[in-house]
Amino acid sequence: INTVVESLTKAPRNINLAEGGGKAKTITEVFGSNVFTLKEMSRTLPKPIFKSFMKQLRGNQTLDKVTADAIAHAVKVWAIDRGASHFTHWFQPMTDSTAEKHDSFLTLKSSFYNGFEEVTALETFSGSQLLQSEPDASSFPSGGMRTTFEARGYTVWDTKSPMFIQEGPHGTAILYIPSVFISYNGEALDEKSVLLRSSEVLNKVALEILSMIDEVDEDHPRAKNVFTTLGTEQEYFLIDRGLYTLRPDLKITGRTLLGGLPPRHQQLEDHYFGKIPTRVLAAISECEHELAKLGVPIKTRHNEVAPAQFEVAPIFEEAMQAVDHNLLTMDVLHRVAHRHKLKVLFHEKPFRGVNGSGKHCNWSMSTDQGDNLLDPSAKPENNLRFLLFLVATLKAVLDHGDLLRAGIASASNDHRLGAHEAPPGIISVFLGSQLNEVLNSIEENRPVNYGATGTQMQNVRVKGTVLDLKVATLPSIARDLTDRNRTSPFAFTGNKFEFRAVGSKQSTSFPVTLLNSAVASSLTEMKAALRKQMGDKKIASREDQLAVIREYIIKTKSIRFEGDNYTDEWVVEAAKRGLPNIVKSPDAFKCLLRKENAEMLRQTGVFSDAELTSRYHILMEKYAKDVMIEAQTLLTMVVQHVLPSAYTYRGELADTASKIVAIGLDATAESRVLKELSPVVASLQDRVQELENLTNDWTTIEDVSELAVYASDKVIPAMEAVRELADSLERTVADKLWSFPKYTELFLNI
Ligand code: ADP
Ligand code: MG
């Protein structure tokens, strides 16, 4: 192990972001240089073509053949100029990652010279190739929506996401065409189509509400578009790649299935925001440089709580763009780390005993006029608007919290949620003391009194303590909102919600789709309430709006929780409030099909019944398969490594003891270790046998839901029993006989 560490950690590749010497290029010089942006399109396309494309983007026109052909030609020239040899429709099947199949621009053309045929190579790319391609859909998960004999599936260019190139080896490049993936019958086979649908419904109803409450004038032009914004804080681990290769569990499952806590881990609390190790900094800088070229606006980087754990966060963007960019970030991080002889781990819980990783989804709604609808610091006259959208979000989480829980469930995230470092399986909302007071005062029909909320408020500067309720002014609340609750799964943080329970490994697309849908549905309901309240007025009065806000505040009280989500008291309290506490993934997946959830998803048009059932099957099956792969990996590691090491160690001890006795000395010490070791080895052997039997019985279960429940109720506890004994052997068996790098080596060699 030490040899591996030495050979691999020595002299990490020295990168030069200057590309050709001199000063490193600034972020603004490279930003977006690998993206076929609207600006680039307007430069390279004939004016009428560009105009027609813009019309299509606004949804006023479908893309005709002439426009598509012209765009294809322009992007081909642009990409080839940057070394591109291939193009690919880049899509997001239901696997939490992306998929691509490369086609080269190559076509052959025959020419005849005095009757002799000769072929010449040409680079071509047509409009129809740009718009659509047909991968064999049968090899992607579809959850029974499609059988192999009707394997047709199409990838279709999502014109809202710009095309880009990724640099390949030896100066080559590939043109990426962001796409949706749909079946022959138009069913969504991917994450993107449903996200697009959820954005559209939310847009529509939010605009309707705005038109009912906003008085439009010259200073306040009507919003034409409402979209959700997303900023994803991505946590991950980086470890030495050489050591990684010695851990089959990490390689196969992404997490360590064995291994005990080392003497030093995170107890000194010195890693968080600590100095970033040199090799890691080199890798991250290079990664950020590449991402900048792709137009991904990375903003922050820092050490996280656990050893070898880090975080990267971008400036927020329109949700669709942010999802694409998060997937690109993971991809680029993975590739760049490789070049620096590092391995990035996105798993939610790669190491037992230290913090796991999440992906905080910062989410809000914004208008094309630049107004953040969840910004309380907007002009006073706009604050009722803020409160309306705020309470609508509360209602969405109250009605569909279990659905949100389902959207973040996975075999890997189960290890993190509720593990006293991450939110529990209970979904609730934290608002902070100021907003709480605002809502309470409206509910109780009294003026706001910030002083009333006690000590928590002492470090909050608030201009004026009593506010006129009628106007519901919230001065300087956003800037001064200082209290934080790290334990809440869904926390209001200034001018956005932060959905913290999302898994680090998963695509943010599904959770955001569900959130958008739930909020769209609750806004629809609110629209009806407002309509009823305002009678035949065209614009709802402030009193009308306040009445609806009050009604929603009262309805949604039980979803608000300001306390510590990690405590047992909260579990009891949540049960009293009727909030579900969903600990295991198979239970969470069942919530997808709960009547109210399924109905909401159908009514908003985001999922058809078939699409939803297919998701359910895919998720259940994936869960079961993930656990099965882990169980089998664990068995191999224990049978082929841990037990043999223990036998060798026992043999060596026995040899030593008998030699010592042979020369007439006392071998009590050796005998004692042997005596302690032997029952552990014997029990381990029994537990291994039990796990093996369970994995054999597995094959007899056909129903995926049953399989998932079996995995979670039977297999995981059996794996646990194996691990406990194996980890105790790790502590006692001689280190030179141990096959796997231990946590200390993994944590400290970066
Ligand atoms: P922290 O949660 O650690 O306080 P920040 O306040 O910097 O971190 O914000 C975290 C993320 O939230 C960033 O990616 C940021 O761009 C994003 N964010 C900020 N405002 C919004 C918004 N209105 N909508 C969506 N994301 C936002
Ligand atoms: Mg955060």
Side-chain angles (χ1 to χ4, degrees):
I1 288 166
N2 282 335
T3 331
V4 173
V5 177
E6 256 179 46
S7 67
L8 279 161
T9 52
K10 231 184 258 168
R13 196 173 69 90
N14 205 1
I15 50 142
N16 184 3
L17 299 185
E19 294 175 5
K23 194 162 76 59
K25 285 198 174 160
T26 63
I27 206 107
T28 45
E29 277 171 318
V30 296
F31 194 80
S33 58
N34 283 350
V35 184
F36 195 58
T37 52
L38 288 178
K39 188 174 164 199
E40 198 59 38
M41 285 181 120
S42 75
R43 199 180 63 79
T44 52
L45 288 171
K47 257 213 178 83
I49 297 284
F50 183 67
K51 264 196 169 156
S52 140
F53 177 68
M54 291 309 290
K55 268 194 191 155
Q56 189 272 338
L57 262 194
R58 284 192 213 101
N60 299 337
Q61 183 179 301
T62 53
L63 208 58
D64 61 277
K65 188 171 176 330
V66 176
T67 312
D69 279 337
I71 296 174
H73 178 74
V75 75
K76 182 193 79 177
V77 172
W78 175 85
I80 289 176
D81 194 38
R82 283 158 177 76
S85 55
H86 291 70
F87 65 92
T88 179
H89 280 237
W90 183 66
F91 60 104
Q92 299 164 18
M94 294 177 256
T95 55
D96 273 341
S97 54
T98 57
E100 52 191 76
K101 172 193 153 219
H102 300 183
D103 272 301
S104 85
F105 290 119
L106 173 71
T107 15
L108 294 179
K109 184 180 156 239
S110 293
S111 305
F112 289 89
Y113 298 95
N114 292 332
F116 288 101
E117 183 186 2
E118 191 173 76
V119 286
T120 32
L122 279 184
E123 283 156 326
T124 60
F125 186 48
S126 69
S128 55
Q129 283 175 307
L130 162 66
L131 288 185
Q132 167 177 336
S133 115
E134 192 189 330
D136 178 0
S138 63
S139 304
F140 292 99
S142 80
M145 215 154 41
R146 192 180 11 70
T147 40
T148 13
F149 63 83
E150 44 183 34
R152 270 171 199 277
Y154 299 101
T155 50
V156 180
W157 177 30
D158 163 27
T159 49
K160 286 206 171 99
S161 307
M163 292 180 268
F164 57 90
I165 57 161
Q166 288 244 59
E167 290 161 22
H170 317 299
T172 60
I174 301 123
L175 172 67
Y176 281 76
I177 307 162
S179 304
V180 296
F181 182 36
I182 51 171
S183 77
Y184 185 65
N185 298 320
E187 289 144 334
L189 293 174
D190 69 341
E191 304 282 7
K192 199 167 201 172
S193 336
V194 284
L195 180 57
L196 280 163
R197 290 180 198 162
S198 74
S199 310
E200 274 177 23
V201 278
L202 192 136
N203 176 28
K204 188 161 167 282
V205 62
L207 284 178
E208 284 167 356
I209 293 203
L210 288 181
S211 75
M212 289 158 79
I213 60 171
D214 261 357
E215 311 209 21
V216 183
D217 58 37
E218 266 173 30
D219 293 339
H220 300 97
R222 183 176 302 293
K224 289 198 189 71
N225 195 9
V226 170
F227 52 92
T228 54
T229 50
L230 180 66
T232 44
E233 299 163 64
Q234 174 75 51
E235 293 178 339
Y236 60 95
F237 282 81
L238 276 173
I239 59 169
D240 182 84
R241 183 151 61 87
L243 294 172
Y244 165 82
T245 59
L246 298 173
R247 295 280 320 208
D249 47 1
L250 279 178
K251 283 204 285 187
I252 299 170
T253 72
R255 76 175 177 113
T256 55
L257 300 170
L258 293 173
L261 263 193
R264 178 175 169 170
H265 44 98
Q266 67 185 46
Q267 68 274 59
L268 294 176
E269 298 177 334
D270 55 350
H271 193 256
Y272 190 60
F273 281 20
K275 185 130 188 73
I276 302 176
T278 316
R279 179 157 59 138
V280 171
L281 190 57
I284 298 180
S285 306
E286 189 176 334
C287 176
E288 286 173 357
H289 188 79
E290 285 212 7
L291 286 169
K293 289 191 202 167
L294 293 169
V296 182
I298 299 296
K299 178 82 174 159
T300 59
R301 58 189 185 205
H302 63 81
N303 285 9
E304 256 303 325
V305 169
Q309 192 187 25
F310 305 90
E311 180 184 299
V312 57
I315 297 173
F316 70 92
E317 299 172 281
E318 186 274 320
M320 201 92 53
Q321 189 65 223
V323 169
D324 281 4
H325 281 171
N326 176 250
L327 289 164
L328 279 177
T329 302
M330 291 170 79
D331 179 40
V332 172
L333 203 49
H334 168 83
R335 280 188 289 110
V336 173
H338 196 84
R339 296 208 281 267
H340 290 262
K341 294 172 178 171
L342 290 165
K343 178 70 198 176
V344 58
L345 307 175
F346 289 118
H347 193 285
E348 284 81 1
K349 194 79 179 177
F351 305 104
R352 163 164 300 177
V354 299
N355 275 21
S357 301
K359 179 141 57 191
H360 295 179
C361 282
N362 294 271
W363 177 94
S364 189
M365 293 166 272
S366 186
T367 72
D368 57 351
Q369 301 300 317
D371 285 338
N372 176 355
L373 295 172
L374 290 178
D375 189 349
S377 74
K379 290 180 192 163
E381 68 266 25
N382 287 344
N383 281 340
L384 290 188
R385 182 184 74 182
F386 158 71
L387 288 169
L388 282 168
F389 281 89
L390 179 81
V391 294
T393 311
L394 289 180
K395 185 72 166 46
V397 181
L398 175 69
D399 291 348
H400 303 289
D402 61 337
L403 184 64
L404 297 181
R405 173 69 184 84
I408 53 161
S410 67
S412 50
N413 210 13
D414 275 3
H415 293 288
R416 171 178 159 265
L417 294 180
H420 281 263
E421 51 164 288
I426 310 164
I427 302 284
S428 66
V429 182
F430 168 85
L431 288 181
S433 32
Q434 294 98 319
L435 271 189
N436 237 336
E437 168 56 12
V438 171
L439 296 201
N440 289 343
S441 67
I442 295 175
E443 181 192 343
E444 292 156 21
N445 210 355
R446 59 166 174 79
V448 172
N449 179 3
Y450 286 132
T453 46
T455 50
Q456 264 191 322
M457 301 296 300
Q458 276 171 6
N459 53 4
V460 181
R461 286 177 292 114
V462 178
K463 294 173 201 125
T465 45
V466 181
L467 302 176
D468 176 9
L469 185 77
K470 279 273 161 55
V471 204
T473 317
L474 311 172
S476 58
I477 217 168
R479 250 159 276 134
D480 295 326
L481 199 112
T482 53
D483 57 343
R484 276 176 177 261
N485 184 333
R486 288 268 162 221
T487 67
S488 174
F490 203 88
F492 189 78
T493 46
N495 55 4
K496 64 193 191 267
F497 276 102
E498 188 170 342
F499 189 15
R500 297 219 186 88
V502 180
S504 50
K505 198 169 82 158
Q506 77 176 118
S507 160
T508 48
S509 191
F510 191 42
V512 172
T513 301
L514 297 178
L515 179 58
N516 286 352
S517 314
V519 173
S521 163
S522 122
L523 285 171
T524 307
E525 204 186 287
M526 174 183 268
K527 190 184 79 183
L530 200 57
R531 174 73 55 215
K532 198 167 151 214
Q533 184 68 35
M534 64 204 259
D536 45 13
K537 272 176 265 165
K538 264 193 109 175
I539 299 288
S541 67
R542 301 191 71 82
E543 283 71 22
D544 293 338
Q545 296 179 42
L546 261 179
V548 171
I549 290 167
R550 184 175 298 117
E551 177 192 329
Y552 270 70
I553 291 174
I554 295 166
K555 273 189 195 162
T556 57
K557 270 188 103 163
S558 64
I559 199 71
R560 280 156 56 195
F561 181 60
E562 299 292 301
D564 184 350
N565 284 253
Y566 295 174
T567 60
D568 296 334
E569 288 82 56
W570 171 228
V571 175
V572 177
E573 161 77 17
K576 268 194 219 147
R577 294 189 188 188
L579 298 179
N581 180 8
I582 303 162
V583 180
K584 292 175 181 175
S585 287
D587 295 326
F589 298 142
K590 287 179 189 152
C591 302
L592 285 175
L593 303 184
R594 185 169 68 86
K595 193 165 150 277
E596 290 77 2
N597 288 332
E599 238 166 54
M600 180 277 282
L601 291 170
R602 191 180 338 107
Q603 272 164 13
T604 47
V606 177
F607 284 93
S608 69
D609 281 342
E611 286 168 340
L612 193 62
T613 318
S614 96
R615 289 262 156 179
Y616 170 79
H617 282 289
I618 290 172
L619 289 166
M620 280 287 190
E621 189 174 1
K622 168 131 188 1
Y623 174 88
K625 282 181 179 167
D626 280 344
V627 175
M628 172 160 32
I629 291 169
E630 285 193 347
Q632 272 152 1
T633 308
L634 179 65
L635 280 172
T636 352
M637 289 174 79
V638 173
V639 171
Q640 296 174 6
H641 295 265
V642 174
L643 283 170
S645 298
Y647 298 144
T648 311
Y649 187 46
R650 273 208 304 186
E652 284 185 7
L653 277 173
D655 272 354
T656 315
S658 60
K659 280 179 193 153
I660 291 173
V661 173
I663 58 167
L665 289 176
D666 173 33
T668 320
E670 288 75 7
S671 309
R672 216 176 93 194
V673 179
L674 268 174
K675 266 189 211 144
E676 278 166 15
L677 205 57
S678 298
V680 180
V681 175
S683 310
L684 179 56
Q685 218 140 27
D686 291 345
R687 298 290 93 78
V688 162
Q689 191 55 55
E690 281 166 22
L691 183 57
E692 217 157 280
N693 294 344
L694 284 171
T695 56
N696 289 338
D697 292 350
W698 190 298
T699 46
T700 59
I701 306 172
E702 273 177 22
D703 179 76
V704 283
S705 319
E706 261 177 60
L707 207 57
V709 172
Y710 180 83
S712 107
D713 293 356
K714 296 264 165 47
V715 180
I716 290 179
M719 287 174 65
E720 208 42 59
V722 168
R723 177 173 191 161
E724 199 180 309
L725 294 161
D727 284 355
S728 110
L729 288 177
E730 187 198 57
R731 284 193 293 275
T732 42
V733 169
D735 186 63
K736 65 169 181 163
L737 298 174
W738 202 255
S739 304
F740 310 118
K742 296 177 181 166
Y743 279 13
T744 294
E745 284 137 354
L746 296 172
F747 287 160
L748 300 182
N749 290 299
I750 47 166

